[in-house]
């Protein structure tokens, strides 16, 4: 917990925006990789197009969102300190759990694995059958670990005999910082994943299609929301 709080404070401190016109630093810029900023944008039903694109960038497949489940999604409840909101997306490709992490270690991976394993087991508890189970996907959008690869995909697999154990459980782990570096420093196409780690100056340099521009507008608008910024 101390590590998570430390990383969050670090992100806010070093994303402070320099106002070139006034010649001074202004309020810290809340990057979209911060949990509450992410959910304020991507859990908004008006931004399902952004959520669809983000998921596609991770799993390399098109999805259609059927339903989005986020406990206590109302803004005033989202701003109550201490609440943890899991994003559960029902799609035509299966159920997708999205977790936003400001650090990475073994304990965090065990906790996140527990989330998706519980979703997997609970499916049968509500009267369904194992035969009819959908695919369960977890997406971990993670920062704070420079050693972690840009993208990792985990399944239950038999290494000894080179075969799959089950065919409907996948865990994706994305290094947000490296996703940004891929386009910011290496010239790759701008991605919504990479934009999660951008401060205002970096956002101004990013150019892309209408969804990239929509995301930029949303995170900038959120940073102008006095209630939201006072919460942070």
């Amino acid at each position: 917990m101390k590590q998570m709080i430390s990383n969050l404070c670090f992100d806010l401190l070093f994303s402070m925006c320099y106002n070139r016109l006034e010649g001074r630093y202004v309020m810290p810029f809340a990057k979209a990789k911060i949990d509450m900023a992410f959910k304020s944008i991507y859990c908004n039903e008006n931004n399902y197009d952004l959520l669809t694109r983000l998921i596609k960038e991770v799993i390399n497949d098109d999805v259609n969102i059927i339903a989005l489940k986020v406990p206590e999604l109302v803004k005033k409840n989202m701003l109550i300190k201490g609440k943890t909101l899991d994003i559960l997306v029902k799609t035509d490709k299966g159920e997708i759990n999205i977790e936003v992490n400001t650090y990475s270690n073994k304990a965090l991976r065990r906790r996140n694995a527990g989330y998706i394993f519980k979703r997997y087991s609970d499916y049968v508890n509500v009267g369904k059958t194992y035969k009819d189970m959908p695919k369960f996907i977890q997406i971990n959008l993670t920062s704070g670990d420079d050693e972690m690869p840009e993208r990792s995909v985990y399944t239950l697999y038999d290494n000894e005999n080179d075969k799959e154990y089950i065919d409907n459980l996948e865990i994706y782990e994305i290094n947000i910082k490296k996703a940004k570096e891929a386009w910011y420093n290496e010239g790759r196409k701008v991605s919504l994943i990479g934009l999660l780690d951008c401060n205002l100056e970096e956002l101004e340099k990013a150019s892309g299609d209408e969804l990239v521009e929509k995301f930029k507008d949303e995170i900038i608008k959120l940073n102008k929301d006095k209630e939201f910024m006072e919460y942070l």
Side-chain angles (χ1 to χ4, degrees), residues 32-180:
K33 69 178 182 179
I34 297 172
D35 188 69
M36 294 307 301
F38 181 91
K39 292 182 173 72
S40 293
I41 294 173
Y42 282 99
C43 294
N44 185 329
E45 63 181 9
N46 295 321
N47 293 332
Y48 277 12
D49 51 352
L50 293 177
L51 182 59
T52 299
R53 166 73 77 82
L54 184 74
I55 293 172
K56 180 180 179 180
E57 289 182 359
V58 174
I59 69 172
N60 293 327
D61 197 5
D62 291 314
V63 298
N64 293 312
I65 295 177
I66 299 172
L68 177 64
K69 300 179 181 179
V70 181
E72 303 181 30
L73 185 56
V74 180
K75 179 180 178 181
K76 65 179 181 180
N77 289 327
M78 288 183 68
L79 297 182
I80 297 176
K81 292 185 178 180
K83 289 190 177 296
T84 300
L85 305 177
D86 299 328
I87 301 178
L88 299 171
V89 189
K90 184 178 180 182
T91 76
D92 60 338
K93 299 297 172 62
E95 183 173 299
I96 301 175
N97 165 221
I98 303 176
E99 298 292 331
V100 182
N101 311 301
T102 58
Y103 67 100
S104 176
N105 58 31
K106 289 182 179 179
L108 176 72
R109 289 190 176 96
R110 290 170 181 170
R111 187 197 73 180
N112 288 343
Y115 290 162
I116 195 63
F117 293 160
K118 187 175 189 305
R119 295 299 305 175
Y120 192 96
S121 62
D122 285 351
Y123 183 83
V124 177
N125 292 339
V126 294
K128 309 291 184 178
T129 67
Y130 290 108
K131 181 179 179 180
D132 300 324
M133 290 179 75
K135 177 174 284 188
F136 288 81
I137 298 172
Q138 182 176 76
I139 296 174
N140 290 299
L141 301 171
T142 304
S143 56
D145 185 353
D146 292 338
E147 301 301 318
M148 193 178 83
E150 180 183 344
R151 182 175 184 268
S152 301
V153 184
Y154 302 93
T155 60
L156 286 181
Y157 195 81
D158 180 356
N159 291 324
E160 291 291 332
N161 299 291
D162 193 27
K163 65 179 182 179
E164 198 173 50
Y165 184 65
I166 57 175
D167 63 353
N168 65 333
L169 178 64
E170 296 176 347
I171 298 177
Y172 293 80
E173 191 167 51
I174 306 298
N175 187 322
I176 296 173
K177 180 180 178 181
K178 289 187 177 179
K180 180 184 76 172

Side-chain angles (χ1 to χ4, degrees), residues 183 189-190 195 202-209 212-213 216:
W183 65 263
K189 182 180 178 181
V190 174
L195 291 179
E202 292 167 333
L203 285 171
E204 290 174 343
K205 295 178 181 178
S207 61
D209 60 19
V212 168
E213 296 305 317
K216 290 165 59 178

